[in-house]
Amino acid sequence: MEIYNPSSQKRSRNPEMSIPAGVRIRGPMRPEFEKIFTRDALEFVAELERKFRPRVKYILKCREEQQARYDAGELPSFDPATKAIREGEWTCSSPPAAIADRRVEITGPVERKMIINALNCGAKMFMADFEDSLAPTWDNIISGQINLRDAVNRTITYEDKARNKTYKLNSKTAALLVRPRGWHLQESHIEIDGEPATGALIDFGFYFFHNHASYRAKHGGYGPFFYLPKMQHSREAAVWNAVFDHAEDVCGVPRGSIRGTVLIETLPAVFQMHEILYELREHSAGLNCGRWDYIFSFIKTVRAHPDRLLPDRVQVGMTQHFLKSYTELLIQTCHKRGVHAMGGMAAQIPIKDNPAANEAAAALVKADKLREVLAGHDGTWAAHPGLVPLVLEVFDQNMPKANQLHVKREDVNVTCADLLQMPKGTRTLEGLRLNTRVGVQYLAAWMTGTGSVPLYNLMEDAATAEISRVQNWQQIKYNAVLDGGLVPGMRVTKELFARVLDEELVRIEKEVGPAKFANGRYQEAAKLFAKQCTAPVLDDFLTLDAYRNIVTFAPTARM
Ligand SMILES: CC(=O)SCCNC(=O)CCNC(=O)[C@H](O)C(C)(C)COP(=O)(O)OP(=O)(O)OC[C@H]1O[C@@H](n2cnc3c(N)ncnc32)[C@H](O)[C@@H]1OP(=O)(O)O
Ligand SMILES: O=CC(=O)O
Ligand SMILES: [Mg+2]
């Protein structure tokens, strides 16, 4: 492969000459990857890794220690040590004009055609995702960087030869936000000083390095803008803030240009919202209710508490008291600190072949968005371009200004008990079956490189699949009693789950057809899902285990 070294302005045919010392690229090369692996960009990313790797390791260690305390019986709560921050009078830097109005944000993986469709769809913003909706294969990650670079430069096009269709950007497009991976995921295809790189720093580093100048030129000197996922504590936000400071300093970008919206999508983080905003106060663009990971995290955090079994996933909706409390506290917190309180994702997507079902799905999305705007959210997410007009209409009708930062929600008084109140509902055999069917099909798609899929007319991604996994794990671990059904008092056991898995695999094969089933990775996915659901100790993330199945090193990789 030929690598271009911009500092020498010469072309080299020897890859080693252009790769900085200590950096090893183990993923297979494609000629177009040269655009991303410039010498300067690699040096920038290697420096990020060297500077922040110890702090990332510390964060992950703290998570383990905190989980051990939860496993010993503690419940999450507000930290007395940071009361002064929660009660103090301070605000974050005010939102720049480019992100003042975020009423509808479409989200989707960093896939070329989807990026063009998302930017063109009429949403105010587009969150391009390296996280929940992307399977982090080497190709997806590096092609994603190329796609984003072309999108920022407005040169992105896509040819669909089969349909004889060319995709290109409209003159008016959504503004781009990028979501790097969470702190827990490594990028095994790039090693720095003999260790795999941190996924989050790879995603942030390459994107920032290649795009900050063009992005800021188009957005009034501000940006790039980010979403920051899956944090559990303000110390993790402090690391992102330090990464932003460092990136701004190294690239000569004025302090506070970068802005990040933190997803509050773990149970521990809801008790740290003021603290998280405080750490990021010069770089904050507010908080977002990442409801799917939040439900997953709720189960994971209290995994050692047998009295905390959740009802079936379909019953854990946003009107359950613990979720309503979380969203209201998030809105109050953000508006006190002068930043946006973003809503989350309704899982319904358009249903093409059934108008009545499609209408019912649209009505559910509409109700969800109406609840959000009336509660005081400043904007929300849409999973599909077909939903954008509907979501826009709800916000346009109920939010006349660019946002509603002025809605302080001083009436809200949320306590620990509210945030920890168990949702009401039933656990059924059909719930166990559905979790299994969805979990296996999602994993099979993920292992073939697709991180968000339509299943049973709903969007499924890593966060929703995690709920299926941990809910099964919880029910098996504590032999949950199932409600209803033909056998009253039936308990979930490993044996019952094994039978369910076998039967659901047969059903999946019928649904997808024998050819797709044989050519897909369903059996492998079933094995992995079963291992995860029956593990003596719950694994932190499904994708950590599954990642081993998508790593592909190049045979000729050399130092
Ligand atoms: C928990 C969370 O983190 S939520 C955020 C992360 N999740 C996501 O972002 C999910 C995003 N959404 C999606 O990936 C998809 O909409 C899915 C997988 C749910 C459904 O996909 P499909 O069934 O393939 O959609 P469908 O066939 O209706 O697509 C129709 C068109 O819309 C496009 N499209 C669908 N969703 C999106 C999207 N989110 N962004 C851009 N384009 C999209 C398709 O590319 C297709 O384009 P084309 O007509 O030019 O070929
Ligand atoms: O990232 C969003 C979520 O709901 O999880
Ligand atoms: Mg999430």
Side-chain angles (χ1 to χ4, degrees):
M1 187 208 156
E2 188 182 57
I3 289 187
Y4 182 50
N5 176 348
S7 56
S8 70
Q9 298 296 298
K10 271 190 198 149
R11 278 188 178 267
S12 160
R13 290 219 158 254
N14 181 348
E16 283 111 321
M17 281 181 64
S18 291
I19 296 182
V23 176
R24 184 183 187 198
I25 298 179
R26 303 193 67 188
M29 283 295 178
R30 289 208 272 121
E32 60 270 33
F33 289 1
E34 280 182 35
K35 291 186 201 159
I36 299 306
F37 298 132
T38 60
R39 170 106 193 171
D40 292 357
L42 285 168
E43 276 170 356
F44 178 75
V45 164
E47 196 185 350
L48 274 181
E49 185 67 33
R50 288 182 179 124
K51 199 169 162 76
F52 293 104
R53 176 184 280 160
R55 288 182 74 176
V56 174
K57 286 186 177 172
Y58 176 67
I59 287 170
L60 298 178
K61 186 88 197 113
C62 290
R63 283 189 188 176
E64 265 176 44
E65 288 171 3
Q66 183 57 61
Q67 186 59 50
R69 289 193 286 276
Y70 296 144
D71 289 351
E74 197 180 293
L75 284 170
S77 61
F78 297 101
D79 184 353
T82 47
K83 190 165 183 261
I85 294 179
R86 285 193 300 282
E87 294 182 357
E89 290 303 321
W90 51 269
T91 52
C92 298
S93 300
S94 39
I99 49 170
D101 189 340
R102 305 169 63 175
R103 63 190 62 220
V104 182
E105 297 183 342
I106 189 164
T107 68
V110 286
E111 197 244 54
R112 200 162 180 87
K113 183 180 79 172
M114 284 179 91
I115 289 177
I116 302 173
N117 281 340
L119 288 169
N120 284 343
C121 77
K124 291 278 177 195
M125 318 283 295
F126 164 46
M127 186 200 73
D129 198 11
F130 285 98
E131 221 250 342
D132 285 335
S133 69
L134 188 84
T137 63
W138 171 242
D139 208 56
N140 282 350
I141 293 288
I142 307 304
S143 302
Q145 290 286 349
I146 294 170
N147 299 339
L148 291 181
R149 187 179 159 148
D150 294 348
V152 172
N153 292 332
R154 295 190 57 86
T155 57
I156 189 167
T157 57
Y158 177 78
E159 291 292 328
D160 183 341
K161 294 207 175 82
R163 288 155 80 192
N164 193 24
K165 187 171 172 186
T166 302
Y167 292 76
K168 57 183 175 50
L169 292 181
N170 295 341
S171 52
K172 189 164 182 287
T173 51
L176 194 61
L177 300 141
V178 169
R179 178 163 71 170
R181 280 169 279 184
W183 287 127
H184 59 290
L185 287 170
Q186 292 185 328
E187 178 47 72
S188 296
H189 302 93
I190 299 181
E191 285 180 5
I192 314 284
D193 304 332
E195 276 189 57
T198 305
L201 297 177
I202 292 293
D203 302 340
F204 166 80
F206 283 120
Y207 173 70
F208 178 81
F209 187 83
H210 288 301
N211 298 293
H212 68 85
S214 321
Y215 196 95
R216 291 179 53 245
K218 294 184 179 79
H219 293 88
Y222 283 95
F225 305 118
F226 294 91
Y227 260 106
L228 307 174
K230 291 189 177 52
M231 285 197 263
Q232 298 193 13
H233 193 276
S234 55
R235 72 172 72 85
E236 305 182 19
V239 178
W240 269 120
N241 196 61
V243 168
F244 292 166
D245 279 350
H246 172 86
E248 287 170 346
D249 290 349
V250 168
C251 296
V253 170
R255 176 73 74 248
S257 302
I258 302 175
R259 297 295 168 99
T261 305
V262 173
L263 287 133
I264 298 300
E265 54 181 354
T266 67
L267 182 60
V270 81
F271 297 91
Q272 290 268 320
M273 293 193 291
H274 289 283
E275 291 87 334
I276 287 171
L277 289 178
Y278 187 76
E279 292 296 349
L280 277 158
R281 60 199 179 281
E282 275 176 321
H283 289 119
S284 177
L287 304 175
N288 168 297
C289 285
R291 61 177 76 167
W292 301 106
D293 267 310
Y294 190 78
I295 298 167
F296 155 50
S297 169
F298 190 95
I299 301 173
K300 184 164 78 168
T301 305
V302 296
R303 66 191 185 181
H305 301 233
D307 55 330
R308 291 189 163 269
L309 298 183
L310 260 66
D312 284 352
R313 185 185 132 173
V314 291
Q315 297 174 35
V316 188
M318 294 308 288
T319 51
Q320 292 274 8
H321 185 75
F322 81 115
L323 292 175
K324 180 170 181 284
S325 304
Y326 136 73
T327 57
E328 290 183 346
L329 185 60
L330 182 143
I331 294 163
Q332 184 190 56
T333 306
C334 287
H335 290 181
K336 179 163 184 182
R337 305 307 178 189
V339 284
H340 287 68
M342 300 302 295
M345 185 65 92
Q348 292 78 19
I349 47 177
I351 303 171
K352 290 165 200 142
D353 46 7
N354 183 338
N358 188 46
E359 220 171 281
L364 288 173
V365 175
K366 191 168 176 184
D368 186 62
K369 300 306 136 192
L370 191 60
R371 175 191 57 74
E372 288 183 327
V373 69
L374 295 179
H377 279 296
D378 302 291
T380 190
W381 280 7
H384 191 287
L387 294 169
V388 168
L390 179 161
V391 179
L392 256 178
E393 192 184 320
V394 175
F395 269 79
D396 286 349
Q397 282 174 359
N398 295 283
M399 193 174 82
K401 296 189 178 161
N403 53 55
Q404 38 191 351
L405 298 189
H406 56 283
V407 175
K408 298 295 177 199
R409 291 303 312 262
E410 277 159 0
D411 57 307
V412 168
N413 184 18
V414 168
T415 63
C416 280
D418 293 314
L419 294 166
L420 294 171
Q421 191 185 99
M422 288 301 294
K424 295 186 177 45
T426 52
R427 280 177 294 280
T428 66
L429 183 58
E430 187 39 45
L432 180 71
R433 287 189 179 285
L434 187 60
N435 278 343
T436 305
R437 216 154 59 234
V438 165
V440 170
Q441 289 183 83
Y442 178 75
L443 259 184
W446 195 91
M447 291 199 288
T448 44
T450 302
S452 57
V453 281
L455 287 175
Y456 310 108
N457 298 326
L458 296 178
M459 175 222 66
E460 297 289 343
D461 68 6
T464 61
E466 285 283 28
I467 302 174
S468 297
R469 171 185 71 111
V470 294
Q471 184 151 60
N472 279 9
W473 179 90
Q474 191 185 41
Q475 292 187 8
I476 296 166
K477 174 88 178 171
Y478 298 113
N479 300 137
V481 175
L482 295 177
D483 299 299
L486 294 175
V487 187
M490 183 194 269
R491 284 184 176 273
V492 182
T493 59
K494 280 190 183 170
E495 293 70 33
L496 175 71
F497 171 67
R499 246 182 32 232
V500 163
L501 182 60
D502 282 349
E503 288 169 11
E504 293 310 316
L505 266 179
V506 172
R507 177 163 170 182
I508 292 170
E509 183 171 13
K510 242 187 229 154
E511 286 176 357
V512 304
K516 183 169 173 193
F517 190 83
N519 294 328
R521 296 180 78 172
Y522 295 95
Q523 297 286 3
E524 233 179 304
K527 220 168 140 192
L528 181 57
F529 189 67
K531 180 181 148 211
Q532 287 285 329
C533 292
T534 56
V537 179
L538 184 68
D539 256 17
D540 265 353
F541 293 97
L542 180 57
T543 46
L544 280 175
D545 199 10
Y547 186 59
R548 284 185 264 276
N549 296 278
I550 59 168
V551 170
T552 46
F553 293 142
T556 54
R558 281 170 295 165
M559 269 301 266

